Amino acid sequence: MAEPTTRPTDAATMDKIVALCKRRGFVFASSEIYGGLGSTYDYGHYGVLLKTNVKSEWWRAMVQERDDIVALDSAILQHPRTWEASGHLAGFTDPMVDCRTCGQRFRADHLPELQCPQKPSKHPGEAEACDLTQARDFNLMFETTMGPVKDSGATVYLRPETAQGIFVNFKNVLQFSRKKPPFGIAQVGKSFRNEITPGNFVFRTREFEQMEMEFFVPPDDAPRWYELWKAARFAWYVELGIREDHLRLREHDPDELSHYSSGTADVEYLFPIGWSELEGIANRGDFDLKQHAEFSGQKLEYFDGQTGERYVPHVIEPAAGADRALLAFLVDAYDEDELGGEQRTVLNLHPRLAPVKVAVLPHLRKDGLPEAAAEVYAGLRGRMQSEYDEGGSIGKRYRRQDEIGTPYCVTVDHQSLEDSTVTLRDRDTLEQERLAMEGLSDELAARLARPWSSPKAGASSTRVTGA
Ligand code: ATP
């Protein structure tokens, strides 16, 4: 499919996504009553459900559907030698400049994308009053002290990535999992980076969640596995409904590669801010295991008792961000249309990602309809995330569910009392059909499991502007 060359005229803008997230309690500024804390966010009910579904889909693809990957949950605080060995203490830096006029800090390599706080039409350094310092390196790791006495305690770091917790556990996992290369270790968890210029909502924050997997392979097989993982990770986003013409794989130029990497590619999404990284897939060679072997004095290698073969496996790493993925799913799902003369905001989320799968609505708040609807709700909620809503007109309640991306609404009306049927409304097609109450949860479960593609795909809202 042809790639759009410029931003499409999509209804989704970052401002609209932020507003919807706040309005419906998906994500909001952290510590709001104290005026917020620079680019940290809290997830509310629907945000938690959505992010949990994103992470569950990742676990499903990594562990449930494969035999060669095991799960791990390592500590956020690790021995400080970890970060010496990994190179983070010496080299996990970004170039930073300060402006002597406004006192703000900027990432030197992001200046063309940033606004001057005093003259927003200009980039930092462009306005006459700007007075930028020389760029200097700033380490992104958050430092803290372990132990009760600040002065004599050991300096430890909040992990800036989950990957190192996997490498330092290689030996443990190899021993207990009864796996041999090719095999992988997967981890989901919080990471912390003292980003100089966080921003664009949850795209870049200082505290975020990563979904990382280290796949250990015999050295000669690394190029093949690198190709396989690039394809698999791209396909994951497509399967979960991201429009394919809004996704691309960008291979890094040789000058972008870390010294140990023989190949890195980013899965990029066409956010309202332009093409940006969603996930990186890297062929890391044997760098990490060799470094930790050297710094720990432990042997981190694979020994095949049958063939007598001994080697340090090479590593292919798909590293994704849960919050960034959630943002991409929201942007891709967001749409506006007109229904009965009223504007509707709808999240066309993949049913597997939708925070709520079905809403049960009594048509009226009388005549025994709430009681009958409550019974239907009780029959569904044990099977899937469901919601019961009897407040407001039926149209208003549909709109509310559309806005949080609920794929199905079940309405209980007077006919339901006579023939034990309900109306099933489909968020995407807006079709309504009568279904028997009996077997409703089986029917819904089957519909939710079907392959799905975005109604926005190929629609006019994805029209390409410009060349
Ligand atoms: P970037 O170039 O955007 O800073 P990166 O290349 O440093 O990202 P990695 O170290 O490869 O990122 O981390 C893997 C993934 O973790 C990224 O693709 C992204 O989805 C997520 N991630 C990294 N930094 C942040 C952040 N500050 N906020 C939110 N997600 C992040």
Side-chain angles (χ1 to χ4, degrees):
M1 218 180 276
E3 279 180 358
T5 49
T6 59
R7 267 177 50 197
T9 53
D10 199 307
T13 64
M14 213 57 124
D15 286 346
K16 287 182 187 173
I17 298 291
V18 174
L20 171 67
C21 282
K22 183 163 177 157
R23 189 164 71 242
R24 301 312 315 271
F26 277 82
V27 185
F28 31 84
S30 177
S31 315
E32 226 172 0
I33 60 166
Y34 293 106
L37 175 70
S39 287
T40 54
Y41 292 94
D42 294 342
Y43 282 74
H45 182 66
Y46 296 127
V48 172
L49 294 177
L50 176 56
K51 188 145 72 130
T52 301
N53 292 343
V54 170
K55 292 184 284 183
S56 302
E57 287 301 326
W58 189 87
W59 280 120
R60 178 213 290 266
M62 287 294 173
V63 173
Q64 186 183 327
E65 292 179 350
R66 302 183 66 106
D67 295 320
D68 53 3
I69 301 182
V70 295
L72 178 77
D73 187 4
S74 70
I76 286 173
L77 299 175
Q78 287 164 228
H79 196 289
R81 292 276 279 170
T82 308
W83 310 111
E84 274 179 63
S86 67
H88 282 84
L89 255 183
F92 193 53
T93 56
D94 276 337
M96 170 184 79
V97 291
D98 289 303
C99 178
R100 295 187 190 94
T101 308
C102 67
Q104 297 288 312
R105 281 196 163 159
F106 309 100
R107 228 172 105 169
D109 55 336
H110 282 182
L111 292 179
E113 300 141 44
L114 300 173
Q115 286 180 331
C116 167
Q118 295 192 336
K119 258 199 171 268
S121 61
K122 305 258 184 203
H123 303 302
E126 278 186 358
E128 220 174 287
C130 294
D131 184 9
L132 300 186
T133 60
Q134 288 289 317
R136 57 210 156 95
D137 282 340
F138 172 75
N139 195 300
L140 301 184
M141 282 202 294
F142 278 99
E143 248 180 66
T144 187
T145 313
M146 197 159 215
V149 186
K150 192 156 197 259
D151 292 342
S152 59
T155 300
V156 292
Y157 303 89
L158 302 188
R159 66 179 176 201
E161 60 176 36
T162 58
Q164 299 304 323
I166 298 178
F167 296 126
V168 301
N169 277 297
F170 173 76
K171 213 172 149 180
N172 274 338
V173 176
L174 195 61
Q175 210 168 341
F176 297 119
S177 66
R178 293 167 51 232
K179 299 277 179 220
K180 59 183 219 171
F183 83 102
I185 306 176
Q187 164 151 243
V188 173
K190 286 251 167 137
S191 292
F192 303 81
R193 296 182 187 177
N194 202 358
E195 298 277 2
I196 299 163
T197 38
N200 291 312
F201 197 35
V202 294
F203 180 84
R204 187 181 302 286
T205 51
R206 295 191 170 109
E207 173 179 345
F208 54 96
E209 261 185 294
Q210 288 189 305
M211 310 185 286
E212 296 194 293
M213 195 275 294
E214 309 302 320
F215 202 71
F216 301 93
V217 300
D220 290 347
D221 290 351
R224 188 173 65 85
W225 279 107
Y226 175 56
E227 295 306 319
L228 286 172
W229 277 112
K230 279 191 295 184
R233 294 307 304 149
F234 188 90
W236 184 78
Y237 293 98
V238 175
E239 198 199 325
L240 289 173
I242 297 254
R243 291 162 294 169
E244 219 170 323
D245 58 354
H246 281 57
L247 267 185
R248 70 180 184 193
L249 256 176
R250 187 184 68 81
E251 201 77 42
H252 282 205
D253 292 332
D255 61 348
E256 282 180 89
L257 294 176
S258 336
H259 63 93
Y260 50 80
S261 173
S262 57
T264 298
D266 290 342
V267 179
E268 295 187 334
Y269 177 69
L270 186 56
F271 284 96
I273 50 169
W275 286 104
S276 309
E277 174 182 337
L278 257 185
E279 166 161 358
I281 298 111
N283 181 347
R284 300 177 65 95
D286 57 9
F287 175 77
D288 307 275
L289 288 181
K290 279 204 165 145
Q291 285 292 106
H292 287 297
E294 187 187 328
F295 278 72
S296 67
Q298 305 263 333
K299 270 201 176 119
L300 299 180
E301 55 186 23
Y302 173 68
F303 174 68
D304 190 323
Q306 274 171 348
T307 62
E309 209 186 352
R310 186 185 290 280
Y311 61 88
V312 178
H314 282 210
V315 170
I316 310 300
E317 173 195 79
D323 312 83
R324 226 179 251 189
L326 172 138
L327 182 60
F329 287 122
L330 280 175
V331 167
D332 213 69
Y334 184 97
D335 211 359
E336 291 166 352
D337 54 17
E338 222 182 82
L339 217 58
E342 262 184 57
Q343 179 159 311
R344 173 177 85 132
T345 301
V346 57
L347 285 184
N348 295 299
L349 286 166
H350 192 294
R352 295 214 307 253
L353 293 179
V356 175
K357 311 301 180 195
V358 57
V360 182
L361 320 169
H363 193 67
L364 297 172
R365 233 152 114 183
K366 56 181 187 183
D367 303 338
L369 298 183
E371 290 76 10
E375 227 171 279
V376 173
Y377 175 52
L380 294 175
R381 64 186 306 181
R383 188 96 183 259
M384 61 197 73
Q385 190 70 43
S386 315
E387 201 167 275
Y388 175 83
D389 186 6
E390 57 174 36
S393 74
I394 194 79
K396 215 177 205 160
R397 281 179 276 161
Y398 283 152
R399 238 42 100 241
R400 225 180 267 154
Q401 295 300 329
D402 288 340
E403 228 182 25
I404 60 164
T406 307
Y408 296 109
C409 287
V410 166
T411 306
V412 175
D413 56 15
H414 287 103
Q415 191 185 328
S416 310
L417 304 182
E418 285 159 25
D419 64 4
S420 296
T421 63
V422 291
T423 304
L424 185 74
R425 173 189 182 265
D426 182 304
R427 175 199 69 197
D428 299 337
T429 63
L430 297 172
E431 270 166 27
Q432 304 203 11
E433 57 186 301
R434 268 338 272 188
L435 289 179
M437 280 182 196
E438 201 181 326
L440 185 62
S441 75
D442 285 341
E443 176 60 29
L444 280 171
R447 290 186 187 217
L448 288 164
R450 282 181 195 161
W452 179 92
S453 70
S454 169
K456 275 172 87 178
S460 58
S461 63
T462 61
R463 226 175 26 236
V464 178
T465 57

